[in-house]
Amino acid sequence: MRPKSLITFILGGAVFIFGVYGLVCSDFIGIVPLAIGISLVYLGWRGGRQALAIFGHTVIVVGCFLVTLGIYLLPYSKPTLFHIFTRPLFWGLFSILGGVCANYHSFCQCMRR
């Protein structure tokens, strides 16, 4: 069997390996790329509405985790543009909105055809 989307499958595999490396060498933060990588591998392998909805829900859960971590790190952040774009709060909000977009797209007419 071949994956439905080879690029998504390879990208998910690379993110998954990065997540495993992050878990082995670092703290618990490696769970973020691990979860996104697993859902991307599944999306690339299966394709379709169900896989896209699973990907969207996974990204929303990861985004909520990152928002919570970002709120805990707010007292240690400097109000610079670099810190705004590199801290988990920004990427958590970005992930939540991206997950909502993926979930809406899984019910779009273009996916139902």
Side-chain angles (χ1 to χ4, degrees):
M1 258 176 85
R2 292 186 57 213
K4 298 278 184 187
S5 175
L6 187 62
I7 294 173
T8 306
F9 185 77
I10 292 171
L11 180 66
V15 173
F16 174 77
I17 291 170
F18 181 68
V20 169
Y21 176 76
L23 279 178
V24 170
C25 296
S26 183
D27 280 337
F28 64 93
I29 200 67
I31 197 77
V32 171
L34 185 72
I36 291 176
I38 289 172
S39 64
L40 273 175
V41 165
Y42 183 70
L43 179 62
W45 187 262
R46 293 274 305 205
R49 294 175 48 207
Q50 180 186 12
L52 188 60
I54 290 173
F55 172 72
H57 282 86
T58 304
V59 172
I60 288 172
V61 169
V62 167
C64 291
F65 172 77
L66 287 173
V67 165
T68 304
L69 182 64
I71 289 172
Y72 280 126
L73 291 177
L74 273 178
Y76 307 107
S77 297
K78 297 176 186 172
T80 63
L81 194 60
F82 178 74
H83 277 210
I84 289 171
F85 288 123
T86 57
R87 295 293 179 171
L89 185 60
F90 172 78
W91 291 107
L93 293 172
F94 191 82
S95 297
I96 289 172
L97 295 175
V100 169
C101 182
N103 282 341
Y104 273 110
H105 184 60
S106 68
F107 293 104
C108 184
Q109 283 294 333
C110 64
M111 294 296 288
R112 290 179 185 232
R113 288 183 212 151

